[in-house]
Amino acid sequence: MTNLYGIDARSGERLEPAVPETTPGEVAERCAAADRAAPALAALPLDTRARLLRTVAAELDAAADELIASADRETALGRPALEAELARTTHQLRLLADEVLRPDFLQRRTEQGADGTPSFLRTLLPVGPVAVYAASNFPFALAVAGSDTAAALAAGCAVVVKAHPGHPLTSQRVDRVVTGALRAAGAPDGTFSVVHGMAAGQALINDPHIRAASFTGSQAGGRALFDAAASRPDPIPFYGELGSVNPVFLTRAAVSARRSEIVSGFVTAATRYVGQLCTSPGLMFVPADAGLDETLAAELSAVPAAPLLNQRILDGFRQGTQRLAKAADPLVATTDGPHLFRTTIQEFLAHPELMEECFGPASVLVAYEDEADLLAAAGRLPGSLTATLHAEPSDAAVVGQLLPLLTRKVGRVVWNGWPTGVAVNRTMHHGGPWPATTSAAFTSIGTESVRRFQVPVTFQDFPGDLLPTPLNA
């Protein structure tokens, strides 16, 4: 049996105990158990489903000290950030519990027949067992008990999580907490399980009991799983969140009005979580005559390097900055720390590699001359999760031209702010066209994230007492 080991993100020391990789046979057993649990889980009254989510949240809160200490060792994100992340994780579980109890949660619609015509009831039901591929950068909020797991449980689906190898010990601890909480709350056996290892991940996406999958991670890894999901004998939906450059557009009026605020805001956003956020601003379009280069470089240079999540991410960051350095001029190049590059709009349009995400604290400034440059750049950008506009009321004309371009490219447009804070609420859309995600119509954050794991079903002339239990609540 092959073992995985956690690594101390600060020292590089191997952590004990070992976490055994899950064999393909064990994956098959857990997926079969999830399939057996699915009917009973789907039949639970909605108030019971909500109680499951709240119980998981309460038990995670109770285990906070142990979980945060473990995650800090494996990620070096620091206790304050991890405390906030765990609070976000339990908040989204409770938010979804509240959502489950809303009258419109199942989107029940009826059409009463007359004069011999049929009657119809349309509603949303659980898709079935869901595979969740955990992320590296959020060991709580996007991992074993994160937003995808919470959304699938809220939908009434059993979940099999493929843990991320960057924090196996934390994943194992969260697994124990969630499994115990669900058992105590009365969930059917097989409702939740966790698997470890690359072979397990490959077996999971191909298991015939899995009816949908979600993923947060690299474009290469997500594309491989997306292709696997599509090439199954019975293709399944795959909801991947992959890569995003999150462009920022500064107008001259904005720089003139809020220069210091923009500089400090950018530096904070670009280095938050050591730049290891899917919403980090990887591109910023600045007026060529704004004189921001030296100011931004000085402020960013003052930010010390900090450990990245793991060696694989560090290697990818080094490769990404080397790629950017071949097409743009380095302004800041801290060893394994913040990087800032500069190029012109003409060079930017000639080098599509500058439009690719470099995961970590790296951004590219693109100097433009006029509004036509901004429109040309916006039209060429790849899909992203966000776009940000820093503008003033006098910029209404150019904003009006940019918005139709940007709303075809991104899932969230930010006005005079920064994209790195992703609110967990009923209005958030955390998605966007490829390569930001594999399905721009869906969000992976907020209450609408549940819709990925529900399927519409219409009942025609069906006796009410024979409908699924949640529809009779």
Side-chain angles (χ1 to χ4, degrees):
M1 179 180 291
T2 305
N3 289 325
L4 297 172
Y5 290 90
I7 301 296
D8 188 303
R10 294 180 179 88
S11 69
E13 175 189 0
R14 192 172 81 174
L15 300 173
E16 300 285 350
V19 177
E21 287 196 2
T22 312
T23 67
E26 290 169 332
V27 172
E29 292 171 2
R30 293 176 196 185
C31 292
D35 190 58
R36 291 192 296 272
L41 187 62
L44 290 176
L46 292 179
D47 59 350
T48 303
R49 195 186 298 179
R51 188 176 73 247
L52 299 182
L53 294 165
R54 292 197 179 99
T55 303
V56 172
E59 292 303 311
L60 288 170
D61 282 339
D65 286 344
E66 175 195 4
L67 298 178
I68 289 169
S70 176
D72 187 41
R73 282 193 298 272
E74 291 188 300
T75 67
L77 288 172
R79 188 173 182 90
L82 290 166
E83 286 175 344
E85 185 190 334
L86 185 58
R88 171 195 177 97
T89 304
T90 57
H91 164 68
Q92 63 193 4
L93 284 159
R94 293 185 176 101
L95 178 69
L96 288 173
D98 292 341
E99 187 71 13
V100 165
L101 298 178
R102 287 178 62 90
D104 59 350
F105 176 65
L106 298 179
Q107 295 188 357
R108 179 172 176 156
R109 301 173 186 172
T110 58
E111 183 94 17
Q112 297 299 324
D115 299 326
T117 60
S119 296
F120 300 94
L121 166 64
R122 186 186 190 276
T123 192
L124 299 177
L125 297 178
V127 68
V130 171
V132 170
Y133 290 80
S136 63
N137 56 336
F138 284 93
F140 300 131
L142 295 179
V144 170
S147 56
D148 288 349
T149 295
L153 291 173
C157 301
V159 180
V160 182
V161 179
K162 193 276 180 183
H164 195 278
H167 33 78
L169 290 172
T170 304
S171 298
Q172 192 177 61
R173 288 181 170 94
V174 175
D175 176 11
R176 287 197 292 263
V177 172
V178 175
T179 299
L182 290 171
R183 184 181 296 116
D189 289 344
T191 293
F192 176 84
S193 62
V194 177
V195 300
H196 294 264
M198 182 172 290
Q202 293 169 341
L204 182 60
I205 196 66
N206 289 297
D207 190 280
H209 297 107
I210 296 298
R211 306 314 308 157
S214 65
F215 168 90
T216 301
S218 70
Q219 185 173 334
R223 183 57 192 251
L225 289 169
F226 176 74
D227 290 345
S231 62
R232 289 170 36 136
D234 55 339
I236 59 172
F238 178 83
Y239 302 104
E241 182 191 318
L242 311 179
S244 183
V245 292
N246 307 301
V248 178
F249 297 84
L250 307 183
T251 67
R252 285 181 171 82
V255 174
S256 176
R258 295 177 283 110
R259 184 186 189 90
S260 296
E261 177 188 331
I262 287 171
V263 169
S264 63
F266 169 77
V267 171
T268 298
T271 58
R272 185 179 179 185
Y273 262 62
V274 202
Q276 298 166 117
L277 295 173
C278 54
T279 52
S280 289
L283 290 173
M284 189 157 72
F285 295 89
V286 302
D289 55 0
L292 283 176
D293 295 6
E294 290 185 2
T295 304
L296 286 167
E299 292 289 327
L300 201 61
S301 295
V303 178
L308 296 184
L309 288 162
N310 54 57
Q311 188 62 46
R312 178 180 294 181
I313 287 178
L314 177 58
D315 291 343
F317 177 67
R318 289 170 175 169
Q319 293 169 8
T321 54
Q322 290 169 7
R323 165 175 52 81
L324 294 176
K326 293 177 180 177
D329 299 323
L331 297 178
V332 178
T334 309
T335 302
D336 295 337
H339 278 61
L340 186 65
F341 301 87
R342 184 192 186 279
T343 191
T344 64
I345 193 76
Q346 293 78 17
E347 288 297 308
F348 174 77
L349 294 174
H351 290 88
E353 62 269 29
L354 294 174
M355 305 182 198
E356 299 174 16
E357 180 187 46
C358 176
F359 191 71
S363 300
V364 179
L365 303 181
V366 183
Y368 71 89
E369 297 292 340
D370 54 31
E371 294 173 356
D373 289 343
L374 283 184
L375 298 176
R380 290 278 299 277
L381 288 170
S384 278
L385 296 169
T386 73
T388 297
L389 293 171
H390 277 272
E392 295 295 306
S394 58
D395 294 314
V398 68
V399 170
Q401 292 176 294
L402 276 172
L403 271 182
L405 297 171
L406 296 180
T407 53
R408 292 200 298 268
K409 300 283 187 175
V410 306
R412 177 163 58 106
V413 185
V414 180
W415 175 260
N416 288 349
W418 300 96
T420 46
V422 183
V424 181
N425 58 32
R426 300 196 75 243
T427 58
M428 177 54 59
H429 186 79
H430 191 62
W434 178 270
T437 76
T438 58
S439 186
F442 292 90
T443 178
S444 59
I445 302 292
T447 55
E448 287 300 300
S449 64
V450 178
R451 305 305 176 204
R452 296 171 296 168
F453 309 125
Q454 295 174 307
V455 291
V457 176
T458 293
F459 295 91
Q460 180 174 328
D461 283 338
F462 221 81
D465 58 348
L466 295 180
L467 290 169
T469 301
L471 298 178
N472 289 317

